Amino acid sequence: MKERSNFTSKLGFVLAAAGSAVGLGNIWRFPYLAAKYGGGIFLLVYLVLAVTFGFTIMLTEVALGRKTGLSAIEAFRKMDKRFTFIGYITASVPVIIFPYYCVIGGWVTKYLGVYLTGAGERAAKDSFFGEFISKPFEPVVWLSLFIFITALVVFLGVEKGIERVSKWMMPILAVLSVVIALYGMTIPGALDGVIYYIKPDFSRFSPTTVLAALGQLFYSMSLAMGIMITYGSYMKKQDNLEASVRQIELFDTGIAFIAGLMIIPAVFSFSGGDQAALNTGPTLMFVTLPKVFQRMGNIIGLLFFVLVLFAALTSAISLMETIVSFLQDKLKWNRGFTCTAVMIYAIIMGIPSSLGFGIWDHIKVLGMSILDFFDFMSNSIIMPVVALLTCLFVGFILKPTAIAEEVKSSAPFKAEKSYSIMIQWIAPICIVLILISSILSALGYISI
Ligand code: PHE
């Protein structure tokens, strides 16, 4: 059998995994959640959860991948045949997410096109976004373009495609976010926003702060969808696993934090300190920010959408690679054919999500648009279930020592003691709480 391809270096692995983790969630969702849940206090809670809960699950997934050298389905099968079903549920997540993630990726590509052609002031009009996403054809064209670029990188392979692209996109992304944040903080009135964002207001602390942070953490770190298992399977045996996971977390949380600095102060200054301007959900990035960019200059808008496109692309690549990888592991198809098949699937499945904002906007599932429904099913239901099953499987069937051994095969495992307690008890309890709160919020009992 052909040897499995590998990331050539630890840096390559860390940047590719960080590329997956850093996505629309960091740049758009994190800042508005932070603003909604009291700024600094949300940051603090998020940080504590990232180094405990996030670390535990990510380390587990990467170790499972590296230990078995296989993607999710076959990895679970190899460890214990009876639990192959966990692999199947895990694999269903990227299959659901990839098409609709590309719909949003298509929107980002369109906005970059608008700023590239110097037409930023058009994007700043109130009606621009709504008119664009409700069109039947144009968003599908952008969606297809976005998928095509993603497929091309995945087709080129782990080393020549994913690693190479991540190695230049991720540093540029980091630099751009710092530049835009610094610039945004200098505009008049921005400082109040910085203070609001950073200073913890302990009176705003509540259980929903923790739940919102937990849910965000999951999504942001690309956990519970087989991605980290797949990327772990491409990691070299001699590379330090624990340190790599810490670095990926640092990158992901760092970019989320800087995104907050990039967006909150600028929107604060634009809205004269009105926090409601931040709490506009998806329209924050596509409607409010273009107005802010009109004041800051088109070039900032352009740089911003380059950054967002890189973030979305590297995440989409990881989703597609995960699907391609389990199809290849299972069916032994060749890469070109697999990539083409997944590309066609994603375009066909992306179309309903896209049309759900236009000619199909009367179709509602559980009161949600088609895209929101897929998002809800994957993020709020299947992912917590996958994470729970993974923790229980590793904690009680496989045993935490198996993961510890894998970590120790390359370097001493510093957090070994706390790891067992986390994976067996604390993480499962946190996950059950996320699951209950997602269901309650979908039913309208609480709002998160
Ligand atoms: N982690 C990504 C983000 O923060 C989201 C993502 C979800 C990436 C699913 C890949 C797959 O936006």
Side-chain angles (χ1 to χ4, degrees):
M1 204 175 99
K2 227 177 82 205
E3 210 195 306
R4 197 171 181 81
S5 40
N6 271 320
F7 290 115
T8 57
S9 64
K10 176 165 156 271
L11 182 72
F13 166 73
V14 169
L15 289 180
S20 170
V22 174
L24 299 167
N26 300 59
I27 294 167
W28 152 74
R29 196 156 179 268
F30 184 87
Y32 99 78
L33 282 180
K36 182 171 169 192
Y37 288 98
I41 187 70
F42 181 86
L43 277 181
L44 196 66
V45 171
Y46 186 88
L47 221 57
V48 171
L49 290 172
V51 297
T52 51
F53 177 81
F55 170 77
T56 305
I57 312 249
M58 192 184 283
L59 183 100
T60 305
E61 294 194 6
V62 175
L64 283 180
R66 192 173 75 171
K67 188 177 170 61
T68 55
L70 291 165
S71 56
I73 303 179
E74 298 306 308
F76 277 99
R77 190 197 307 280
K78 185 165 175 183
M79 283 175 305
D80 192 326
K81 250 198 159 72
R82 295 168 301 161
F83 293 91
T84 315
F85 77 95
I86 306 180
Y88 277 104
I89 310 177
T90 310
S92 73
V93 180
V95 173
I96 299 175
I97 295 186
F98 183 52
Y100 83 73
Y101 199 82
C102 291
V103 172
I104 307 175
W107 298 348
V108 174
T109 318
K110 154 84 180 179
Y111 269 66
L112 179 60
V114 169
Y115 279 90
L116 266 179
T117 52
E121 71 286 349
R122 270 181 37 226
K125 287 212 192 70
D126 267 332
S127 56
F128 182 81
F129 179 59
E131 277 170 15
F132 164 63
I133 60 168
S134 61
K135 287 184 188 156
F137 296 113
E138 201 191 333
V140 176
V141 173
W142 292 102
L143 149 81
S144 309
L145 177 66
F146 181 86
I147 294 181
F148 182 74
I149 303 171
T150 307
L152 202 63
V153 177
V154 173
F155 171 70
L156 289 174
V158 175
E159 191 189 321
K160 295 207 181 69
I162 303 175
E163 178 167 344
R164 225 172 39 186
V165 163
S166 310
K167 268 187 169 162
W168 65 267
M169 277 193 188
M170 294 314 287
I172 295 180
L173 184 153
V175 171
L176 278 181
S177 56
V178 172
V179 169
I180 301 174
L182 285 178
Y183 183 78
M185 285 181 334
T186 58
I187 55 181
L191 212 60
D192 291 337
V194 178
I195 294 171
Y196 175 75
Y197 179 48
I198 293 182
K199 203 169 129 220
D201 172 359
F202 288 95
S203 70
R204 296 280 299 270
F205 181 82
S206 78
T208 44
T209 317
V210 182
L211 286 174
L214 262 179
Q216 169 64 11
L217 184 72
F218 236 85
Y219 185 73
S220 186
M221 295 200 172
S222 303
L223 302 175
M225 44 186 123
I227 291 181
M228 293 299 160
I229 302 184
T230 304
Y231 275 20
S233 75
Y234 302 139
M235 189 184 186
K236 284 211 177 112
K237 282 284 182 200
Q238 64 270 31
D239 287 344
N240 185 330
L241 208 151
E242 187 178 13
S244 303
V245 170
R246 290 266 182 232
Q247 285 158 10
I248 300 164
E249 280 191 306
L250 190 71
F251 206 119
D252 186 58
T253 310
I255 296 289
F257 175 71
I258 298 171
L261 283 178
M262 193 160 68
I263 290 174
I264 296 178
V267 174
F268 239 69
S269 123
F270 177 78
S271 65
D274 178 12
Q275 290 164 28
L278 281 162
N279 201 0
T280 50
T283 54
L284 174 66
M285 191 156 90
F286 296 106
V287 180
T288 317
L289 282 180
K291 292 187 204 296
V292 178
F293 295 142
Q294 207 178 13
R295 281 225 241 143
M296 291 164 79
N298 247 329
I299 180 82
I300 297 291
L302 176 64
L303 295 179
F304 177 81
F305 281 104
V306 170
L307 182 167
V308 182
L309 183 67
F310 284 5
L313 263 179
T314 45
S315 293
I317 289 167
S318 71
L319 281 167
M320 182 161 179
E321 174 61 31
T322 302
I323 304 175
V324 167
S325 158
F326 72 65
L327 286 176
Q328 282 196 293
D329 279 351
K330 181 133 194 67
L331 304 168
K332 312 275 178 258
W333 287 352
N334 76 44
R335 203 163 179 90
F337 178 74
T338 319
C339 285
T340 314
V342 175
M343 181 169 85
I344 294 171
Y345 158 80
I347 296 178
I348 293 174
M349 285 299 290
I351 290 174
S353 290
S354 181
L355 295 183
F357 296 100
I359 52 173
W360 283 1
D361 65 359
H362 55 282
I363 302 179
K364 297 273 183 252
V365 194
L366 298 178
M368 294 175 242
S369 72
I370 303 174
L371 190 150
D372 288 333
F373 173 71
F374 285 137
D375 187 59
F376 169 76
M377 280 310 290
S378 50
N379 295 318
S380 306
I381 308 290
I382 311 179
M383 280 162 62
V385 169
V386 167
L388 183 63
L389 291 173
T390 309
C391 287
L392 296 177
F393 173 72
V394 170
F396 296 98
I397 308 285
L398 191 68
K399 299 283 158 38
T401 44
I403 299 293
E405 266 162 31
E406 181 59 35
V407 177
K408 285 193 280 194
S409 70
S410 48
F413 187 7
K414 295 199 192 108
E416 184 172 353
K417 281 218 183 71
S418 49
Y419 174 77
S420 312
I421 308 174
M422 281 297 300
I423 194 84
Q424 287 183 312
W425 305 106
I426 304 182
I429 293 173
C430 290
I431 297 164
V432 170
L433 291 178
I434 304 182
L435 195 58
I436 295 175
S437 68
S438 310
I439 295 172
L440 289 181
S441 97
L443 296 176
Y445 291 112
I446 54 171
S447 92
I448 291 205

